[in-house]
Amino acid sequence: MENNIAIKARNISKTFKISEDSHNTVKHRLFNLFNPPRTKYVPAVKSMTLEIMKGECIGLLGRNGCGKSTLVKLLAGVYPTDSGYININGSTMLMNLGVGMSHELTARENIYVSGSVLGLKIKEIDAIFDEIVAFAELEGFIDTKIKFYSSGMVARLGFSIAVNAGADIMFLDEIFAVGDAKFQEKAVKVFESSWIKGKTVILVSHSLEVIRQYCNRAAFLKNGELKYIGDTEEAIALYLKDNEIIVKSESAEPVVAEEALTAAALSA
Amino acid sequence: MIVKVLNNWYSGSNKLERLWLLAKIEFKLRYYENKLGVFWALLKPIMDIGIYYIVFQVIMKQDVPAFASYLFIGLIIFNFFIESTSGTIQILNTKKYLYEYSNMNKLEIYMSTLLSNVIGFSFNILMFLLYYNFIEPQSLGSNVESLWMFPIFINVFILSLGVSLILSNIFVIAKDINQIWQVFATCLFFLSPVFYKLSSFKEALPNFDYANPIAGIIINARRVMMQGIQPDFELMFFDFGYALSFLFIGLILLNKLGSKAAEKL
């Protein structure tokens, strides 16, 4: 049973310290020893406990600034947690519009580096190399540094690497917005046919259709707290209800302004 | 802790392959991007040697036997150390793309960058061997004691890795470690017996070869590569001590500060 758990998180929390005047040089620090910068604490994730099984597809729902992206980064092992512990079984890959690629390297090098970071052997990458290039529709630009690519080309390459190489645990943060309609259709098709099987997927999306269609469980987050995890429909209902309240309270200015502020601070 | 890290290292089957891949790309980025290419890697030590030769042998008349070779071996060791430390202070910033989107072990990033420096170092040491054995008029020739160069090199490698870890992780919280280290590195360069006659160095700064970790390494490298005698084991013991303690501090800092690199940089 233990072996079926992909990620086990217990009481994890994360608070961001945002200093108004950042003293990030030694000189500044020395001159301001007795005059510490004003700091603001933003609790992005407050004591969450969750378990994600292998092969599961979990949806994350919540309004902007509720801590989705922070939670994803914690679970992927990119950020350290302030409290609690996380046990990650396998390689992780975080995907949003930009995937871990160096703009100084060519597409070919990026494919090899990313593939290798994701745990593939060189021979395995050789085998799927053409597939990756073809899927990204980048034939003819393989040996160009990706800093000369358009943002769409970079995003397609990232998506293609993720689709074809893929880590054990994939975190997908709003990824179905990449490429033109044809590319999206292709992406969804691959997603359905191969990804859902075998891979553990954590899907962040504001598209309820996507969540409803693919996820066997969903989590609803609000203000950095895990309000609900379980049945997808239930989570979607909670999310819709949350959105409704906010729409209604738009006349009550202070609430909205404060929420917007937290959201801005979190995304910064 | 070190045992655990090493265990992690070998458990994955593609780790060594990945290190080599990253090192090759790093090496290519450094040299192939420029017009001079790898040629520069060979040219630079020769030009450095030319400068110091004129200053210390021609003008100041230090009268060190086989001075060009003496400089050569000292410089390539010191340059390896500087490239691996000064050159990697911002590594967590420049290599952010590797760890920002996955749970890759950051130590691998350091290992691969240092490995690419090892490629350059190997070229240089090969050039040294060719020069010393075939061109240097006052050469004594290489002998079996030259094999001691391997443990000595491992010593420089560990030392560089340790210092690199310390500096680049401090960089996460204090950016101006960069400038401070530049001054410190210059200081270290002039306080190492790279171009001084060893006897005058020891006379002016007694026991300093024990205090400066890189000095002992250079002294020992010359003993085994040029004089064909065994290294000074006491000195070697000290230098391994330094290297391992720096590595230990570096690994602690990597755990404490480096883990926050994704959010701070």
Side-chain angles (χ1 to χ4, degrees), chain A residues 14 24-27 76 78 80 90 92-94 96 98 100 102 105 109 113 116-117 119-122 145, chain B residues 13-14 17-18 21-22 25 28-29 33 97-104 173-176 259-260 262-263:
Chain A
K14 183 81 192 169
N24 50 7
T25 62
V26 172
K27 194 183 91 185
V78 176
T92 65
M93 186 191 196
L94 190 67
N96 40 33
S102 167
L105 302 180
E109 288 160 347
V113 170
S116 188
V117 169
L120 294 183
K121 291 186 173 179
I122 303 290
K145 289 191 177 193
Chain B
S13 49
N14 79 333
E17 237 182 32
R18 184 191 313 168
L21 175 77
L22 290 171
I25 288 178
K28 196 207 117 196
L29 270 184
E33 299 287 287
Y97 73 97
L98 283 173
Y99 64 83
E100 201 178 17
Y101 294 95
S102 73
N103 57 350
M104 180 180 176
I173 51 163
K175 306 274 180 290
D176 38 13
S259 58
K260 291 191 174 150
E263 51 184 291

Side-chain angles (χ1 to χ4, degrees), chain B residues 2 21 36 39 53-55 67 86-87 111 114 187 194 202 205:
Chain B
I2 294 169
L21 175 77
L36 282 173
F39 189 56
Y53 193 89
I54 292 170
V55 174
F67 190 60
S86 299
M111 293 297 279
L114 254 69
C187 179
V194 176
K202 280 186 168 168
L205 298 166

Side-chain angles (χ1 to χ4, degrees), chain A residues 91-103:
Chain A
S91 61
T92 65
M93 186 191 196
L94 190 67
M95 227 190 122
N96 40 33
L97 286 178
V99 151
M101 287 192 289
S102 167
H103 287 243

